[in-house]
Amino acid sequence: MDNVVVTGADGFIGSHLTEALLKEGCNVTALAQYNSFNNWGWLEGISNPRLKVVTGDVRDPNFCRALVEGADTVFHLAALIAIPYSYIAPDSYVDTNVKGTLNICQAAKAAGTPRLLVTSTSEVYGTAQYVPIDEHHPKQPQSPYSATKIGADAIALSFHNAFDLNVSVVRPFNTYGPRQSARAIIPSIITQIASGIREIKVGDLSPTRDFNYVEDTCRGFIAIAKCNDAAGEEINIATQREVSMETTLKTIARLMDADVKWVVDPERLRPSGSEVFRLLGSNEKIKALTGWEPEIPLEEGLKRTINWITSDNNLKNYKPNIYNR
């Protein structure tokens, strides 16, 4: 990988992946969502002569064609990801997640891009029918968000089958770490505790998740990009361990030495048929293809995340009293 493009580079995982690729010695063109403030999101403050930040929108096919020109590898992470907001704004998810992925695939095909990685999500599996969840597990669209990601994955794989595009679908399970927005449970809990709140507002605490520390997720992306046998494949990035939301909350409270209790906020509950109650991913495929294994244990990752979020410069950017959809 010499010249790479990262879409969604201004976001949580995308900014970490951009930094990891720069450390690999790549020339990175990083796409931030176009806005009139010329704000680059989490790319602000990342300075490197091999980094070129551009602003634009994957919903525009003309822009996408210009974006990928000359790249040998494209990491497509741009997406709308918040599940609650997808209940009230599903059209925007179709436009960004499905049509945006189609635009990137069309652009990569036209440019003859040697390598494309399209980012999926463990939410496409829905509540586990068996564990660990491997790549053959049925897809279950339990939210408009997951439905659009299932559609995006299918678009990407169709370009491999129909046009021999060298594309892989990368499917991280629940990534957490510094820079994650408070729409996710881990930063939501940390920011509430750090702000002195003692009644922590939560949703359903019974579901389990397979939490990946963000650095491990990025190593997985890069390992898959380098794997010649990954073309046309769907590949999980998972720790193959699960933890309940309740245990996660208690662990964070212990690490922060906080005496708190939690209250269920009805606004944070998913519709009953939409909640994904169990996610435990298989990582056998990525290990066999690349040798990747998770390196950061959950408690260590939580300590790093707590330290980052609770610093004065970062905590002030969160709004713990407002539910972030």
Side-chain angles (χ1 to χ4, degrees):
M1 295 183 295
D2 294 318
N3 300 309
V4 305
V5 168
V6 180
T7 73
D10 50 340
F12 162 46
I13 299 175
S15 61
H16 284 280
L17 179 59
T18 296
E19 288 182 309
L21 290 165
L22 290 168
K23 288 178 182 177
E24 289 272 318
C26 300
N27 299 310
V28 182
T29 298
L31 172 62
Q33 172 94 24
Y34 174 81
N35 62 89
S36 61
F37 302 102
N38 200 25
N39 184 281
W40 296 350
W42 289 120
L43 295 172
E44 296 283 354
I46 300 176
S47 179
N48 189 298
R50 286 180 282 103
L51 173 63
K52 176 184 177 183
V53 180
V54 299
T55 59
D57 197 320
V58 296
R59 293 175 297 179
D60 188 281
N62 302 296
F63 170 79
C64 290
R65 284 195 292 272
L67 177 69
V68 307
E69 194 67 41
D72 55 61
T73 307
V74 174
F75 295 86
H76 176 47
L77 284 79
L80 291 178
I81 60 174
I83 294 165
Y85 188 57
S86 78
Y87 300 137
I88 60 175
D91 278 22
S92 60
Y93 283 69
V94 172
D95 288 344
T96 301
N97 298 353
V98 180
K99 294 183 70 176
T101 299
L102 173 60
N103 291 339
I104 290 293
C105 288
Q106 289 273 40
K109 173 177 173 284
T113 304
R115 194 78 179 91
L116 171 63
L117 290 86
V118 169
T119 308
S120 182
T121 169
S122 56
E123 285 284 325
V124 303
Y125 294 126
T127 297
Q129 296 183 14
Y130 60 83
V131 294
I133 298 169
D134 60 24
E135 291 81 358
H136 298 293
H137 189 284
K139 310 299 193 298
Q140 301 178 102
Q142 290 182 226
S143 65
Y145 163 66
S146 64
T148 62
K149 295 300 281 185
I150 291 170
D153 296 351
I155 287 287
L157 292 172
S158 78
F159 270 69
H160 174 74
N161 294 326
F163 308 117
D164 202 29
L165 187 66
N166 187 346
V167 59
S168 300
V169 172
V170 182
R171 188 165 292 132
F173 277 64
N174 299 80
T175 301
Y176 72 101
R179 303 177 189 158
Q180 188 173 26
S181 77
R183 60 161 191 82
I185 187 169
I186 288 175
S188 174
I189 293 168
I190 294 171
T191 54
Q192 289 183 74
I193 293 175
S195 299
I197 297 170
R198 291 296 171 257
E199 287 196 350
I200 309 303
K201 292 183 179 180
V202 294
D204 192 340
L205 291 179
S206 64
T208 66
R209 294 294 184 261
D210 185 330
F211 286 115
N212 279 300
Y213 188 64
V214 65
E215 289 181 10
D216 283 338
T217 297
C218 293
R219 286 193 307 103
F221 269 97
I222 293 170
I224 293 167
K226 293 178 178 179
C227 178
N228 293 329
D229 294 328
E233 299 290 340
E234 302 171 77
I235 305 170
N236 291 342
I237 303 177
T239 68
Q240 208 159 304
R241 294 175 182 157
E242 67 181 324
V243 61
S244 72
M245 300 293 197
E246 181 175 354
T247 298
T248 303
L249 187 155
K250 289 179 177 178
T251 302
I252 293 170
R254 173 173 57 80
L255 292 173
M256 297 183 72
D257 194 25
D259 181 17
V260 296
K261 62 180 180 179
W262 52 91
V263 294
V264 175
D265 178 3
E267 190 179 11
R268 300 171 190 245
L269 295 173
R270 298 193 197 183
S272 59
S274 185
E275 181 62 80
V276 174
F277 285 101
R278 190 179 190 191
L279 287 174
L280 169 58
S282 169
N283 60 21
E284 296 304 316
K285 187 171 184 177
I286 188 173
K287 286 165 66 176
L289 285 171
T290 72
W292 176 94
E293 291 196 36
E295 293 182 354
I296 309 300
L298 178 61
E299 191 152 321
E300 173 61 25
L302 289 174
K303 288 178 182 177
R304 295 184 188 186
T305 307
I306 290 166
N307 289 339
W308 186 88
I309 289 177
T310 55
S311 71
D312 290 341
N313 284 338
N314 296 323
L315 186 60
K316 68 182 181 182
N317 294 318
Y318 288 88
K319 301 177 177 68
N321 291 303
I322 301 174
Y323 174 45
N324 184 355
R325 290 184 177 271

